[in-house]
Amino acid sequence: MNLSKTPKFLVLLVILALAGAVMVAGCGGGGGTTSEATESEGATPPAEEQEEEPAEEEEPAEEKEEAGGEEAGGAEAALLEEGKTIFTGTCGTCHTLKEAGTSGTVGPDLDEIEPTLAKAEQQVINGGGGMPAFGKEGILSSEEVKAVATYVSSVAGTE
């Protein structure tokens, strides 16, 4: 019996070919079509395709560090904002935290205990004392846990 001509073999071959095509497309194997479309639309090509500026026009090291700091500051500000949103929607009904404008009385007053990042993260993940284990129970993702713990540890005890 010749397997290469059976319907099952042909179906399997087609499935494997489609799976391979999906993998190549998912890995950015589309080749130059993206840059060609970008150039034809008159848009600026991606950074890796742009010409580099001459060395004498580069920013001094101090300016580069400041620019990186601003980007890092922007990322930290976004993390704190996400943390505040999560806190007010999930934690504020039980906890008091002046900066968030919450006055819950079930859980501890976070302005009084001023938890560190590690302590806040541990508590949010594991819960305890009546508090759900938000991380272990899948209520919050690890990114959300990090955001809310960062927020709480950064603002607790401040006015």
Side-chain angles (χ1 to χ4, degrees), residues 96-99 102 108-115 155-158:
T96 294
L97 187 61
K98 289 178 188 171
E99 203 283 330
T102 61
D109 181 333
L110 298 174
D111 289 309
E112 288 180 10
I113 63 173
E114 298 180 23
V155 303
T158 63

Side-chain angles (χ1 to χ4, degrees), residues 27-82:
C27 294
T33 57
T34 303
S35 62
E36 290 170 353
T38 302
E39 290 171 10
S40 66
E41 294 171 5
T44 306
E48 67 266 9
E49 293 180 12
Q50 293 179 353
E51 294 180 22
E52 292 184 24
E53 294 180 14
E56 65 268 8
E57 292 183 26
E58 284 189 21
E59 295 179 44
E62 298 93 29
E63 290 181 24
K64 285 185 179 180
E65 289 175 12
E66 289 175 12
E70 289 172 8
E71 289 176 14
E76 185 173 337
L79 184 67
L80 291 174
E81 186 62 35
E82 178 185 5

Side-chain angles (χ1 to χ4, degrees), residues 130-151:
M131 178 174 162
F134 286 95
K136 286 188 175 178
E137 294 178 12
I139 298 168
L140 296 177
S141 70
S142 59
E143 293 83 12
E144 291 170 323
V145 168
K146 183 73 169 177
V148 75
T150 300
Y151 170 70

